[in-house]
Amino acid sequence: MSEAARQGGEPHVLAIDMGTSAAKAAVVSRGGRIAGTGIREIGVEHLPGGGAEQDPEEWWSAAAAAGREAVEASGVPAEDVIAVRATTQWAVTVPVDSSGTALCNAISWMDTRGARHVRKVVGGPVRVSGYSPRKLARWIRLTAGAPVLAGIDGLGHLLHIKHDRPDVYDAMADALEPMDYLNLRMTGRAAASYATIWPYWLTDNRDVEAVRYDDVLLRWAGIDRDKLPELLPVDSVVGGLTDGAAAALGLRPGTPALSGLMDTQAATIGAGIVREGEGYFVVGTTSWLACLSPRKRTDLGHQLATMPAALPGRLQVSAEQGPAGRCLDLLKDNLLYDSAGPDGPTPPPDAFEQLERQAAAVPPGSDGLIFTPWVNGVHAPSEDHFTRSAFFNQDLHTTRGHYARAVMEGIAYNLRWVRPPVERFAGGAFTRLNFIGGGAQSATWCQIFADVLGVEVGQVGDPRYANARGAALSGFLALGQMEPADIPAAVPIEATYRPDPAATAVHDDQFDRFLEIYKRNRRVYRALNAPG
């Protein structure tokens, strides 16, 4: 019998954390202890013309299976699981009909097919960086940001559905983010929260405790209000688990399902961040640098804007970098091994561990090899969806270890690139950053980040489940069983890494070359990748 079962009566929350490539789940105590976990992989279909889609039915199957596995592994009685909370990838749109059935595949945050429609909506007779100044002023005043011209956010997806799939738009009753879709499957209620509607750019967010749709923004976009979900506060109970959902998860019918969270919002709590001025970063399939912000703020030049946080009434900013850990996957599966078939060497089960050992044997700076991690274009701090990834400065002595370390360093350089604008939101320079996500399991990568960023790096315990821990702890907050000040003590720090001045000096020079590569090659990438 597990420790949790012997204790009896200790409250737990089941957290479902569904990213781009996997659905994870964890049963978490009020003290932050992870009693049981589960995981299931999910796929992405890439389509011609910039399309990227996922199957919502696969989402639910994977989330339910991971959740049930976590509950069973925990040994926690179902009656001691007091709530379920989902946190997921975001800027992903699934249209559902009035019965809650998905009308087509979900449109991924990697999908750019709505870009041409966004440009029409945000433009006008006079344009500044692609935006009508009059429209841009209202978007910034109400939302703190503006629709992304690349079409990769919720509004871009809605416009793609309306103009390119009018049959789907006509039948659509609600457009939902993934966490809200999972809540629909768990409770039968289609609703978004003040924290999850943000990437649609159709709401007045000036009062983060009373967010509402804005009629003018809806009119400019040409989106009907009745195609959008009702809005709930971030600490709401959406409903109780239906009999079917309870059976799928191994819980009691009626167990409260709380309003969902974006992964960036849950991660902030999962990294132990509850005070302004403190920051953290993530390396999973994607990567971002984030912090709480004391006030609503916009920096369009760096593609940054505050969003509602998981803490009611609070704001945060996240500098999303796009694929990060996915770059190591590509190195492993597409370059070093053949994961797709029998025609080449397949990756060994410990491929990542081998790559880390090989990377650790290479000196800082990878002997001048530089990797640019923009496999899906550049996001913050300079939105450019034409630029792509490359290794620069290979020679006859370049080894697997050089490639692996260069990928790790390139992702760290990208994070360094966004650090100054994020610090302006924080109100001061970071001296320490906590590290979560699968990448934080690597001691080598922790030290690389400390050296590249020149700050202390705190390696959070159970880093792959930090989002789930954050979602669960925020659940206890929503139910009145914790206070924000209790959060840091519930987030374990396994180790602290301090920068090595000699290594930092190498990276200072290498980072300058990294930026120069971007600036000098933008025109080449545009010529290669721009339509027509």
Side-chain angles (χ1 to χ4, degrees), residues 109-143:
W109 56 269
M110 294 180 278
D111 195 300
T112 60
R113 289 174 292 181
R116 60 193 177 98
H117 305 302
V118 172
R119 290 189 175 93
K120 290 180 181 178
V121 165
V122 304
V126 177
R127 300 189 183 209
V128 176
S129 299
Y131 298 90
S132 158
R134 177 176 64 90
K135 292 180 179 179
L136 184 60
R138 186 175 185 87
W139 257 302
I140 291 175
R141 183 165 58 87
L142 268 59
T143 72

PDB file of all heavy atoms in Angstrom, residues 109-143:
ATOM      1  N   TRP A 109      -0.982  25.340 -32.684  1.00  0.00           N
ATOM      2  CA  TRP A 109      -0.243  26.595 -32.577  1.00  0.00           C
ATOM      3  C   TRP A 109       0.836  26.709 -33.659  1.00  0.00           C
ATOM      4  O   TRP A 109       1.370  27.797 -33.894  1.00  0.00           O
ATOM      5  CB  TRP A 109       0.402  26.725 -31.198  1.00  0.00           C
ATOM      6  CG  TRP A 109       1.303  25.581 -30.821  1.00  0.00           C
ATOM      7  CD1 TRP A 109       0.954  24.443 -30.153  1.00  0.00           C
ATOM      8  CD2 TRP A 109       2.706  25.452 -31.095  1.00  0.00           C
ATOM      9  NE1 TRP A 109       2.039  23.614 -29.997  1.00  0.00           N
ATOM     10  CE2 TRP A 109       3.133  24.205 -30.560  1.00  0.00           C
ATOM     11  CE3 TRP A 109       3.638  26.263 -31.737  1.00  0.00           C
ATOM     12  CZ2 TRP A 109       4.450  23.751 -30.658  1.00  0.00           C
ATOM     13  CZ3 TRP A 109       4.957  25.809 -31.836  1.00  0.00           C
ATOM     14  CH2 TRP A 109       5.347  24.571 -31.294  1.00  0.00           C
ATOM     15  N   MET A 110       1.160  25.638 -34.340  1.00  0.00           N
ATOM     16  CA  MET A 110       2.133  25.673 -35.427  1.00  0.00           C
ATOM     17  C   MET A 110       1.494  26.004 -36.775  1.00  0.00           C
ATOM     18  O   MET A 110       2.188  26.179 -37.774  1.00  0.00           O
ATOM     19  CB  MET A 110       2.859  24.325 -35.525  1.00  0.00           C
ATOM     20  CG  MET A 110       3.726  24.003 -34.332  1.00  0.00           C
ATOM     21  SD  MET A 110       4.566  22.406 -34.466  1.00  0.00           S
ATOM     22  CE  MET A 110       3.256  21.295 -33.928  1.00  0.00           C
ATOM     23  N   ASP A 111       0.168  26.090 -36.823  1.00  0.00           N
ATOM     24  CA  ASP A 111      -0.568  26.266 -38.074  1.00  0.00           C
ATOM     25  C   ASP A 111      -0.589  27.734 -38.490  1.00  0.00           C
ATOM     26  O   ASP A 111      -0.996  28.598 -37.716  1.00  0.00           O
ATOM     27  CB  ASP A 111      -2.000  25.756 -37.887  1.00  0.00           C
ATOM     28  CG  ASP A 111      -2.733  25.551 -39.194  1.00  0.00           C
ATOM     29  OD1 ASP A 111      -2.881  26.530 -39.947  1.00  0.00           O
ATOM     30  OD2 ASP A 111      -3.161  24.418 -39.453  1.00  0.00           O
ATOM     31  N   THR A 112      -0.178  28.013 -39.721  1.00  0.00           N
ATOM     32  CA  THR A 112      -0.099  29.399 -40.203  1.00  0.00           C
ATOM     33  C   THR A 112      -1.102  29.698 -41.319  1.00  0.00           C
ATOM     34  O   THR A 112      -1.008  30.747 -41.966  1.00  0.00           O
ATOM     35  CB  THR A 112       1.320  29.697 -40.735  1.00  0.00           C
ATOM     36  OG1 THR A 112       1.616  28.804 -41.824  1.00  0.00           O
ATOM     37  CG2 THR A 112       2.363  29.519 -39.647  1.00  0.00           C
ATOM     38  N   ARG A 113      -2.082  28.828 -41.524  1.00  0.00           N
ATOM     39  CA  ARG A 113      -2.981  29.014 -42.662  1.00  0.00           C
ATOM     40  C   ARG A 113      -3.904  30.218 -42.520  1.00  0.00           C
ATOM     41  O   ARG A 113      -4.476  30.682 -43.511  1.00  0.00           O
ATOM     42  CB  ARG A 113      -3.803  27.738 -42.891  1.00  0.00           C
ATOM     43  CG  ARG A 113      -2.976  26.584 -43.434  1.00  0.00           C
ATOM     44  CD  ARG A 113      -3.772  25.309 -43.521  1.00  0.00           C
ATOM     45  NE  ARG A 113      -4.119  24.790 -42.209  1.00  0.00           N
ATOM     46  CZ  ARG A 113      -4.803  23.669 -42.000  1.00  0.00           C
ATOM     47  NH1 ARG A 113      -5.233  22.951 -43.039  1.00  0.00           N
ATOM     48  NH2 ARG A 113      -5.068  23.249 -40.765  1.00  0.00           N
ATOM     49  N   GLY A 114      -4.052  30.743 -41.316  1.00  0.00           N
ATOM     50  CA  GLY A 114      -4.901  31.913 -41.136  1.00  0.00           C
ATOM     51  C   GLY A 114      -4.192  33.232 -41.337  1.00  0.00           C
ATOM     52  O   GLY A 114      -4.808  34.297 -41.219  1.00  0.00           O
ATOM     53  N   ALA A 115      -2.903  33.192 -41.669  1.00  0.00           N
ATOM     54  CA  ALA A 115      -2.104  34.421 -41.710  1.00  0.00           C
ATOM     55  C   ALA A 115      -2.682  35.458 -42.670  1.00  0.00           C
ATOM     56  O   ALA A 115      -2.787  36.648 -42.326  1.00  0.00           O
ATOM     57  CB  ALA A 115      -0.662  34.087 -42.088  1.00  0.00           C
ATOM     58  N   ARG A 116      -3.048  35.054 -43.878  1.00  0.00           N
ATOM     59  CA  ARG A 116      -3.519  36.044 -44.850  1.00  0.00           C
ATOM     60  C   ARG A 116      -4.822  36.700 -44.405  1.00  0.00           C
ATOM     61  O   ARG A 116      -5.080  37.868 -44.688  1.00  0.00           O
ATOM     62  CB  ARG A 116      -3.686  35.400 -46.225  1.00  0.00           C
ATOM     63  CG  ARG A 116      -4.678  34.251 -46.285  1.00  0.00           C
ATOM     64  CD  ARG A 116      -4.537  33.486 -47.603  1.00  0.00           C
ATOM     65  NE  ARG A 116      -5.427  32.333 -47.648  1.00  0.00           N
ATOM     66  CZ  ARG A 116      -6.598  32.324 -48.249  1.00  0.00           C
ATOM     67  NH1 ARG A 116      -7.037  33.434 -48.851  1.00  0.00           N
ATOM     68  NH2 ARG A 116      -7.346  31.237 -48.258  1.00  0.00           N
ATOM     69  N   HIS A 117      -5.646  35.961 -43.678  1.00  0.00           N
ATOM     70  CA  HIS A 117      -6.902  36.527 -43.183  1.00  0.00           C
ATOM     71  C   HIS A 117      -6.643  37.497 -42.029  1.00  0.00           C
ATOM     72  O   HIS A 117      -7.310  38.526 -41.914  1.00  0.00           O
ATOM     73  CB  HIS A 117      -7.840  35.413 -42.737  1.00  0.00           C
ATOM     74  CG  HIS A 117      -8.098  34.377 -43.790  1.00  0.00           C
ATOM     75  ND1 HIS A 117      -8.623  34.688 -45.015  1.00  0.00           N
ATOM     76  CD2 HIS A 117      -7.890  33.028 -43.792  1.00  0.00           C
ATOM     77  CE1 HIS A 117      -8.743  33.579 -45.734  1.00  0.00           C
ATOM     78  NE2 HIS A 117      -8.306  32.564 -45.017  1.00  0.00           N
ATOM     79  N   VAL A 118      -5.683  37.169 -41.173  1.00  0.00           N
ATOM     80  CA  VAL A 118      -5.334  38.064 -40.065  1.00  0.00           C
ATOM     81  C   VAL A 118      -4.849  39.398 -40.601  1.00  0.00           C
ATOM     82  O   VAL A 118      -5.234  40.466 -40.110  1.00  0.00           O
ATOM     83  CB  VAL A 118      -4.260  37.420 -39.159  1.00  0.00           C
ATOM     84  CG1 VAL A 118      -3.766  38.431 -38.118  1.00  0.00           C
ATOM     85  CG2 VAL A 118      -4.806  36.184 -38.469  1.00  0.00           C
ATOM     86  N   ARG A 119      -4.016  39.360 -41.618  1.00  0.00           N
ATOM     87  CA  ARG A 119      -3.463  40.600 -42.160  1.00  0.00           C
ATOM     88  C   ARG A 119      -4.565  41.518 -42.689  1.00  0.00           C
ATOM     89  O   ARG A 119      -4.473  42.742 -42.568  1.00  0.00           O
ATOM     90  CB  ARG A 119      -2.446  40.277 -43.255  1.00  0.00           C
ATOM     91  CG  ARG A 119      -1.166  39.655 -42.709  1.00  0.00           C
ATOM     92  CD  ARG A 119      -0.090  39.548 -43.793  1.00  0.00           C
ATOM     93  NE  ARG A 119       1.160  39.050 -43.228  1.00  0.00           N
ATOM     94  CZ  ARG A 119       1.511  37.772 -43.203  1.00  0.00           C
ATOM     95  NH1 ARG A 119       0.716  36.864 -43.726  1.00  0.00           N
ATOM     96  NH2 ARG A 119       2.657  37.402 -42.674  1.00  0.00           N
ATOM     97  N   LYS A 120      -5.599  40.930 -43.248  1.00  0.00           N
ATOM     98  CA  LYS A 120      -6.719  41.744 -43.725  1.00  0.00           C
ATOM     99  C   LYS A 120      -7.482  42.359 -42.555  1.00  0.00           C
ATOM    100  O   LYS A 120      -7.871  43.527 -42.595  1.00  0.00           O
ATOM    101  CB  LYS A 120      -7.660  40.882 -44.566  1.00  0.00           C
ATOM    102  CG  LYS A 120      -7.093  40.458 -45.908  1.00  0.00           C
ATOM    103  CD  LYS A 120      -8.094  39.601 -46.677  1.00  0.00           C
ATOM    104  CE  LYS A 120      -7.517  39.140 -48.012  1.00  0.00           C
ATOM    105  NZ  LYS A 120      -8.476  38.261 -48.751  1.00  0.00           N
ATOM    106  N   VAL A 121      -7.689  41.566 -41.512  1.00  0.00           N
ATOM    107  CA  VAL A 121      -8.464  42.037 -40.367  1.00  0.00           C
ATOM    108  C   VAL A 121      -7.749  43.159 -39.629  1.00  0.00           C
ATOM    109  O   VAL A 121      -8.368  44.161 -39.237  1.00  0.00           O
ATOM    110  CB  VAL A 121      -8.766  40.863 -39.408  1.00  0.00           C
ATOM    111  CG1 VAL A 121      -9.242  41.367 -38.045  1.00  0.00           C
ATOM    112  CG2 VAL A 121      -9.812  39.941 -40.021  1.00  0.00           C
ATOM    113  N   VAL A 122      -6.453  43.035 -39.433  1.00  0.00           N
ATOM    114  CA  VAL A 122      -5.732  44.018 -38.613  1.00  0.00           C
ATOM    115  C   VAL A 122      -5.231  45.202 -39.422  1.00  0.00           C
ATOM    116  O   VAL A 122      -4.783  46.198 -38.856  1.00  0.00           O
ATOM    117  CB  VAL A 122      -4.542  43.369 -37.874  1.00  0.00           C
ATOM    118  CG1 VAL A 122      -4.999  42.194 -37.038  1.00  0.00           C
ATOM    119  CG2 VAL A 122      -3.449  42.936 -38.849  1.00  0.00           C
ATOM    120  N   GLY A 123      -5.309  45.116 -40.740  1.00  0.00           N
ATOM    121  CA  GLY A 123      -4.770  46.169 -41.583  1.00  0.00           C
ATOM    122  C   GLY A 123      -5.754  47.288 -41.839  1.00  0.00           C
ATOM    123  O   GLY A 123      -6.872  47.331 -41.310  1.00  0.00           O
ATOM    124  N   GLY A 124      -5.342  48.221 -42.673  1.00  0.00           N
ATOM    125  CA  GLY A 124      -6.158  49.365 -43.045  1.00  0.00           C
ATOM    126  C   GLY A 124      -5.458  50.159 -44.126  1.00  0.00           C
ATOM    127  O   GLY A 124      -4.406  49.742 -44.631  1.00  0.00           O
ATOM    128  N   PRO A 125      -6.019  51.315 -44.502  1.00  0.00           N
ATOM    129  CA  PRO A 125      -5.392  52.139 -45.546  1.00  0.00           C
ATOM    130  C   PRO A 125      -3.957  52.527 -45.202  1.00  0.00           C
ATOM    131  O   PRO A 125      -3.102  52.617 -46.072  1.00  0.00           O
ATOM    132  CB  PRO A 125      -6.306  53.364 -45.621  1.00  0.00           C
ATOM    133  CG  PRO A 125      -7.608  52.911 -45.054  1.00  0.00           C
ATOM    134  CD  PRO A 125      -7.278  51.903 -44.016  1.00  0.00           C
ATOM    135  N   VAL A 126      -3.708  52.776 -43.920  1.00  0.00           N
ATOM    136  CA  VAL A 126      -2.359  53.077 -43.442  1.00  0.00           C
ATOM    137  C   VAL A 126      -1.951  51.949 -42.499  1.00  0.00           C
ATOM    138  O   VAL A 126      -2.718  51.564 -41.611  1.00  0.00           O
ATOM    139  CB  VAL A 126      -2.320  54.431 -42.702  1.00  0.00           C
ATOM    140  CG1 VAL A 126      -0.930  54.688 -42.149  1.00  0.00           C
ATOM    141  CG2 VAL A 126      -2.756  55.554 -43.635  1.00  0.00           C
ATOM    142  N   ARG A 127      -0.738  51.430 -42.681  1.00  0.00           N
ATOM    143  CA  ARG A 127      -0.281  50.310 -41.851  1.00  0.00           C
ATOM    144  C   ARG A 127       1.077  50.629 -41.233  1.00  0.00           C
ATOM    145  O   ARG A 127       1.940  51.223 -41.891  1.00  0.00           O
ATOM    146  CB  ARG A 127      -0.174  49.027 -42.677  1.00  0.00           C
ATOM    147  CG  ARG A 127      -1.486  48.586 -43.294  1.00  0.00           C
ATOM    148  CD  ARG A 127      -1.382  47.210 -43.909  1.00  0.00           C
ATOM    149  NE  ARG A 127      -2.633  46.813 -44.559  1.00  0.00           N
ATOM    150  CZ  ARG A 127      -3.044  45.561 -44.695  1.00  0.00           C
ATOM    151  NH1 ARG A 127      -2.305  44.575 -44.225  1.00  0.00           N
ATOM    152  NH2 ARG A 127      -4.186  45.278 -45.292  1.00  0.00           N
ATOM    153  N   VAL A 128       1.227  50.207 -39.988  1.00  0.00           N
ATOM    154  CA  VAL A 128       2.504  50.281 -39.293  1.00  0.00           C
ATOM    155  C   VAL A 128       2.852  48.858 -38.879  1.00  0.00           C
ATOM    156  O   VAL A 128       2.131  48.248 -38.077  1.00  0.00           O
ATOM    157  CB  VAL A 128       2.432  51.197 -38.063  1.00  0.00           C
ATOM    158  CG1 VAL A 128       3.763  51.159 -37.316  1.00  0.00           C
ATOM    159  CG2 VAL A 128       2.071  52.613 -38.469  1.00  0.00           C
ATOM    160  N   SER A 129       3.912  48.332 -39.458  1.00  0.00           N
ATOM    161  CA  SER A 129       4.308  46.937 -39.211  1.00  0.00           C
ATOM    162  C   SER A 129       3.167  45.966 -39.491  1.00  0.00           C
ATOM    163  O   SER A 129       3.021  44.945 -38.821  1.00  0.00           O
ATOM    164  CB  SER A 129       4.808  46.772 -37.768  1.00  0.00           C
ATOM    165  OG  SER A 129       5.927  47.586 -37.532  1.00  0.00           O
ATOM    166  N   GLY A 130       2.339  46.292 -40.461  1.00  0.00           N
ATOM    167  CA  GLY A 130       1.254  45.413 -40.860  1.00  0.00           C
ATOM    168  C   GLY A 130      -0.082  45.703 -40.214  1.00  0.00           C
ATOM    169  O   GLY A 130      -1.097  45.110 -40.590  1.00  0.00           O
ATOM    170  N   TYR A 131      -0.128  46.625 -39.239  1.00  0.00           N
ATOM    171  CA  TYR A 131      -1.345  46.915 -38.484  1.00  0.00           C
ATOM    172  C   TYR A 131      -1.876  48.309 -38.817  1.00  0.00           C
ATOM    173  O   TYR A 131      -1.101  49.253 -39.014  1.00  0.00           O
ATOM    174  CB  TYR A 131      -1.082  46.849 -36.984  1.00  0.00           C
ATOM    175  CG  TYR A 131      -0.650  45.503 -36.467  1.00  0.00           C
ATOM    176  CD1 TYR A 131       0.695  45.165 -36.402  1.00  0.00           C
ATOM    177  CD2 TYR A 131      -1.586  44.571 -36.012  1.00  0.00           C
ATOM    178  CE1 TYR A 131       1.112  43.929 -35.914  1.00  0.00           C
ATOM    179  CE2 TYR A 131      -1.182  43.335 -35.519  1.00  0.00           C
ATOM    180  CZ  TYR A 131       0.168  43.023 -35.477  1.00  0.00           C
ATOM    181  OH  TYR A 131       0.566  41.796 -35.007  1.00  0.00           O
ATOM    182  N   SER A 132      -3.186  48.457 -38.812  1.00  0.00           N
ATOM    183  CA  SER A 132      -3.808  49.773 -38.809  1.00  0.00           C
ATOM    184  C   SER A 132      -3.532  50.431 -37.467  1.00  0.00           C
ATOM    185  O   SER A 132      -3.828  49.829 -36.416  1.00  0.00           O
ATOM    186  CB  SER A 132      -5.315  49.644 -39.020  1.00  0.00           C
ATOM    187  OG  SER A 132      -6.001  50.779 -38.538  1.00  0.00           O
ATOM    188  N   PRO A 133      -2.967  51.626 -37.407  1.00  0.00           N
ATOM    189  CA  PRO A 133      -2.689  52.259 -36.109  1.00  0.00           C
ATOM    190  C   PRO A 133      -3.937  52.379 -35.234  1.00  0.00           C
ATOM    191  O   PRO A 133      -3.865  52.192 -34.013  1.00  0.00           O
ATOM    192  CB  PRO A 133      -2.136  53.625 -36.492  1.00  0.00           C
ATOM    193  CG  PRO A 133      -1.552  53.416 -37.850  1.00  0.00           C
ATOM    194  CD  PRO A 133      -2.456  52.437 -38.529  1.00  0.00           C
ATOM    195  N   ARG A 134      -5.087  52.684 -35.845  1.00  0.00           N
ATOM    196  CA  ARG A 134      -6.314  52.827 -35.063  1.00  0.00           C
ATOM    197  C   ARG A 134      -6.711  51.496 -34.428  1.00  0.00           C
ATOM    198  O   ARG A 134      -7.063  51.432 -33.238  1.00  0.00           O
ATOM    199  CB  ARG A 134      -7.437  53.328 -35.975  1.00  0.00           C
ATOM    200  CG  ARG A 134      -8.807  53.463 -35.292  1.00  0.00           C
ATOM    201  CD  ARG A 134      -9.819  54.052 -36.252  1.00  0.00           C
ATOM    202  NE  ARG A 134     -10.056  53.183 -37.390  1.00  0.00           N
ATOM    203  CZ  ARG A 134     -11.005  52.223 -37.405  1.00  0.00           C
ATOM    204  NH1 ARG A 134     -11.774  52.040 -36.361  1.00  0.00           N
ATOM    205  NH2 ARG A 134     -11.178  51.485 -38.479  1.00  0.00           N
ATOM    206  N   LYS A 135      -6.660  50.431 -35.208  1.00  0.00           N
ATOM    207  CA  LYS A 135      -7.022  49.117 -34.674  1.00  0.00           C
ATOM    208  C   LYS A 135      -6.003  48.648 -33.634  1.00  0.00           C
ATOM    209  O   LYS A 135      -6.370  48.106 -32.586  1.00  0.00           O
ATOM    210  CB  LYS A 135      -7.136  48.101 -35.811  1.00  0.00           C
ATOM    211  CG  LYS A 135      -8.300  48.350 -36.757  1.00  0.00           C
ATOM    212  CD  LYS A 135      -8.335  47.298 -37.861  1.00  0.00           C
ATOM    213  CE  LYS A 135      -9.521  47.517 -38.796  1.00  0.00           C
ATOM    214  NZ  LYS A 135      -9.544  46.503 -39.888  1.00  0.00           N
ATOM    215  N   LEU A 136      -4.739  48.863 -33.943  1.00  0.00           N
ATOM    216  CA  LEU A 136      -3.697  48.422 -33.021  1.00  0.00           C
ATOM    217  C   LEU A 136      -3.851  49.091 -31.669  1.00  0.00           C
ATOM    218  O   LEU A 136      -3.679  48.457 -30.618  1.00  0.00           O
ATOM    219  CB  LEU A 136      -2.328  48.727 -33.620  1.00  0.00           C
ATOM    220  CG  LEU A 136      -1.113  48.247 -32.827  1.00  0.00           C
ATOM    221  CD1 LEU A 136      -1.129  46.742 -32.650  1.00  0.00           C
ATOM    222  CD2 LEU A 136       0.173  48.704 -33.526  1.00  0.00           C
ATOM    223  N   ALA A 137      -4.199  50.365 -31.668  1.00  0.00           N
ATOM    224  CA  ALA A 137      -4.359  51.092 -30.412  1.00  0.00           C
ATOM    225  C   ALA A 137      -5.450  50.462 -29.547  1.00  0.00           C
ATOM    226  O   ALA A 137      -5.302  50.336 -28.322  1.00  0.00           O
ATOM    227  CB  ALA A 137      -4.683  52.556 -30.694  1.00  0.00           C
ATOM    228  N   ARG A 138      -6.563  50.078 -30.170  1.00  0.00           N
ATOM    229  CA  ARG A 138      -7.636  49.466 -29.386  1.00  0.00           C
ATOM    230  C   ARG A 138      -7.232  48.084 -28.878  1.00  0.00           C
ATOM    231  O   ARG A 138      -7.500  47.740 -27.726  1.00  0.00           O
ATOM    232  CB  ARG A 138      -8.921  49.372 -30.212  1.00  0.00           C
ATOM    233  CG  ARG A 138     -10.103  48.875 -29.382  1.00  0.00           C
ATOM    234  CD  ARG A 138     -11.412  48.891 -30.141  1.00  0.00           C
ATOM    235  NE  ARG A 138     -12.532  48.516 -29.281  1.00  0.00           N
ATOM    236  CZ  ARG A 138     -13.222  49.375 -28.523  1.00  0.00           C
ATOM    237  NH1 ARG A 138     -12.902  50.659 -28.525  1.00  0.00           N
ATOM    238  NH2 ARG A 138     -14.224  48.961 -27.760  1.00  0.00           N
ATOM    239  N   TRP A 139      -6.594  47.287 -29.736  1.00  0.00           N
ATOM    240  CA  TRP A 139      -6.171  45.963 -29.280  1.00  0.00           C
ATOM    241  C   TRP A 139      -5.225  46.074 -28.090  1.00  0.00           C
ATOM    242  O   TRP A 139      -5.378  45.357 -27.105  1.00  0.00           O
ATOM    243  CB  TRP A 139      -5.517  45.185 -30.429  1.00  0.00           C
ATOM    244  CG  TRP A 139      -6.423  44.136 -31.013  1.00  0.00           C
ATOM    245  CD1 TRP A 139      -7.008  43.092 -30.357  1.00  0.00           C
ATOM    246  CD2 TRP A 139      -6.878  44.045 -32.372  1.00  0.00           C
ATOM    247  NE1 TRP A 139      -7.789  42.356 -31.222  1.00  0.00           N
ATOM    248  CE2 TRP A 139      -7.723  42.915 -32.461  1.00  0.00           C
ATOM    249  CE3 TRP A 139      -6.641  44.809 -33.516  1.00  0.00           C
ATOM    250  CZ2 TRP A 139      -8.328  42.518 -33.648  1.00  0.00           C
ATOM    251  CZ3 TRP A 139      -7.243  44.417 -34.701  1.00  0.00           C
ATOM    252  CH2 TRP A 139      -8.079  43.287 -34.772  1.00  0.00           C
ATOM    253  N   ILE A 140      -4.273  46.973 -28.169  1.00  0.00           N
ATOM    254  CA  ILE A 140      -3.323  47.104 -27.070  1.00  0.00           C
ATOM    255  C   ILE A 140      -4.026  47.592 -25.807  1.00  0.00           C
ATOM    256  O   ILE A 140      -3.780  47.095 -24.702  1.00  0.00           O
ATOM    257  CB  ILE A 140      -2.177  48.049 -27.463  1.00  0.00           C
ATOM    258  CG1 ILE A 140      -1.308  47.389 -28.543  1.00  0.00           C
ATOM    259  CG2 ILE A 140      -1.334  48.408 -26.248  1.00  0.00           C
ATOM    260  CD1 ILE A 140      -0.222  48.290 -29.084  1.00  0.00           C
ATOM    261  N   ARG A 141      -4.921  48.562 -25.967  1.00  0.00           N
ATOM    262  CA  ARG A 141      -5.601  49.110 -24.789  1.00  0.00           C
ATOM    263  C   ARG A 141      -6.460  48.057 -24.093  1.00  0.00           C
ATOM    264  O   ARG A 141      -6.496  47.995 -22.864  1.00  0.00           O
ATOM    265  CB  ARG A 141      -6.475  50.303 -25.210  1.00  0.00           C
ATOM    266  CG  ARG A 141      -7.176  51.010 -24.053  1.00  0.00           C
ATOM    267  CD  ARG A 141      -7.704  52.365 -24.482  1.00  0.00           C
ATOM    268  NE  ARG A 141      -8.636  52.273 -25.607  1.00  0.00           N
ATOM    269  CZ  ARG A 141      -9.952  52.061 -25.444  1.00  0.00           C
ATOM    270  NH1 ARG A 141     -10.474  51.942 -24.236  1.00  0.00           N
ATOM    271  NH2 ARG A 141     -10.747  52.004 -26.489  1.00  0.00           N
ATOM    272  N   LEU A 142      -7.130  47.211 -24.863  1.00  0.00           N
ATOM    273  CA  LEU A 142      -8.052  46.238 -24.271  1.00  0.00           C
ATOM    274  C   LEU A 142      -7.383  44.920 -23.899  1.00  0.00           C
ATOM    275  O   LEU A 142      -7.714  44.323 -22.882  1.00  0.00           O
ATOM    276  CB  LEU A 142      -9.210  45.953 -25.235  1.00  0.00           C
ATOM    277  CG  LEU A 142     -10.465  46.838 -25.068  1.00  0.00           C
ATOM    278  CD1 LEU A 142     -10.127  48.315 -25.251  1.00  0.00           C
ATOM    279  CD2 LEU A 142     -11.539  46.412 -26.059  1.00  0.00           C
ATOM    280  N   THR A 143      -6.448  44.466 -24.740  1.00  0.00           N
ATOM    281  CA  THR A 143      -5.916  43.113 -24.545  1.00  0.00           C
ATOM    282  C   THR A 143      -4.456  43.081 -24.131  1.00  0.00           C
ATOM    283  O   THR A 143      -3.951  42.022 -23.767  1.00  0.00           O
ATOM    284  CB  THR A 143      -6.050  42.290 -25.842  1.00  0.00           C
ATOM    285  OG1 THR A 143      -5.106  42.757 -26.810  1.00  0.00           O
ATOM    286  CG2 THR A 143      -7.445  42.377 -26.420  1.00  0.00           C
TER     287      THR A 143
END
